[in-house]
Amino acid sequence: EPEVTQTPSHQVTQMGQEVILRCVPISNHLYFYWYRQILGQKVEFLVSFYNNEISEKSEIFDDQFSVERPDGSNFTLKIRSTKLEDSAMYFCASSRRDRDGYTFGSGTRLTVV
Amino acid sequence: QKEVEQNSGPLSVPEGAIASLNCTYSDRGSQSFFWYRQYSGKSPELIMSIYSNGDKEDGRFTAQLNKASQYVSLLIRDSQPSDSATYLCAVGLSGYSTLTFGKGTMLLVSP
């Protein structure tokens, strides 16, 4: 079964530092997403990416965040100047077609201290 | 604000019973509907998708959609302790390709 791979599984960072979360989507999927889930809260949309550009982004996805697809397989989320409230589980997801259900990666637990 | 609402639970059912999970959504133009299962500390796992009014069955799972009532449900037949998890309803709202998730309903299946 194809899967979405995320690294690292857990990252601890000092407040104010930059972090890069990495994802390898399923190879024949065309739509890529980042979501986050703060402990005990719902899964929240951050950004979607299609055809090498951002297709949608939420209010959460401000100038602190950026995404890249640096090569044909990786999809990254960069968080600059991290804050305590950025502590969450960050999920990468992909889908083959628009309006398909997503396959989620196993997530990166980000802890900002 | 376009919302997806679920009862947070927990919903407790005995092993072998039918579990019924419900979800309502506010955007009448929503086009796609999904149920995900999330075990504690894990990522959401897609279990059902439904796009048209009516029922869709897959093994022990049945998804039901009523667009007029803006209501989608998930039935789990012959519930097993391994079904104990949080079930997330996700809706593709009109005008967006992304999914909006509800907070989830925790299901507890007792042996």
Side-chain angles (χ1 to χ4, degrees):
Chain A
E1 178 100 22
E3 58 181 32
V4 175
T5 304
Q6 287 188 247
T7 55
S9 57
H10 191 188
Q11 174 129 19
V12 181
T13 189
Q14 295 273 348
M15 193 168 52
Q17 296 298 303
E18 174 181 289
V19 296
I20 297 176
L21 310 183
R22 304 181 191 278
C23 171
V24 179
I26 293 173
S27 61
N28 65 346
H29 284 191
L30 302 177
Y31 295 83
F32 313 121
Y33 310 89
W34 284 102
Y35 280 74
R36 78 175 185 188
Q37 188 174 32
I38 295 170
L39 189 64
Q41 298 189 26
K42 64 179 172 182
V43 176
E44 300 178 290
F45 168 66
L46 293 177
V47 66
S48 60
F49 196 86
Y50 171 71
N51 202 25
N52 287 320
E53 61 182 22
I54 291 174
S55 47
E56 294 174 38
K57 60 182 180 179
S58 72
E59 292 174 353
I60 302 169
F61 194 88
D62 59 19
D63 292 343
Q64 186 191 4
F65 296 87
S66 61
V67 288
E68 254 192 350
R69 188 156 163 80
D71 54 42
S73 59
N74 290 284
F75 180 49
T76 63
L77 174 69
K78 182 187 292 186
I79 309 174
R80 288 179 282 275
S81 189
T82 49
K83 299 175 278 195
L84 294 176
E85 54 264 39
D86 295 327
S87 296
M89 182 75 93
Y90 287 80
F91 294 113
C92 175
S94 67
S95 63
R96 192 161 61 91
R97 297 172 301 187
D98 189 16
R99 301 188 186 279
D100 274 356
Y102 306 160
T103 300
F104 280 86
S106 56
T108 293
R109 181 170 297 285
L110 177 65
T111 303
V112 182
V113 297
Chain B
Q1 182 82 12
K2 296 176 179 177
E3 299 285 348
V4 178
E5 300 288 346
Q6 296 182 255
N7 188 322
S8 59
L11 173 66
S12 295
V13 300
E15 184 175 357
I18 295 175
S20 177
L21 304 159
N22 305 312
C23 170
T24 59
Y25 58 94
S26 62
D27 181 11
R28 187 169 289 277
S30 297
Q31 300 291 321
S32 53
F33 307 86
F34 304 90
W35 284 98
Y36 285 81
R37 178 174 61 199
Q38 187 176 31
Y39 293 111
S40 181
K42 302 295 185 183
S43 61
E45 174 193 6
L46 180 65
I47 52 174
M48 289 290 288
S49 61
I50 187 166
Y51 300 89
S52 305
N53 279 330
D55 294 0
K56 179 181 178 183
E57 187 174 316
D58 183 1
R60 296 187 295 114
F61 299 99
T62 299
Q64 299 175 316
L65 175 60
N66 184 326
K67 287 186 179 180
S69 300
Q70 295 174 239
Y71 177 92
V72 58
S73 64
L74 179 71
L75 301 178
I76 307 174
R77 288 181 298 282
D78 188 24
S79 295
Q80 301 296 309
S82 58
D83 294 327
S84 298
T86 296
Y87 288 80
L88 309 178
C89 174
V91 177
L93 303 180
S94 61
Y96 297 90
S97 63
T98 54
L99 298 183
T100 297
F101 284 79
K103 287 194 72 172
T105 298
M106 181 183 293
L107 173 66
L108 298 175
V109 182
S110 53

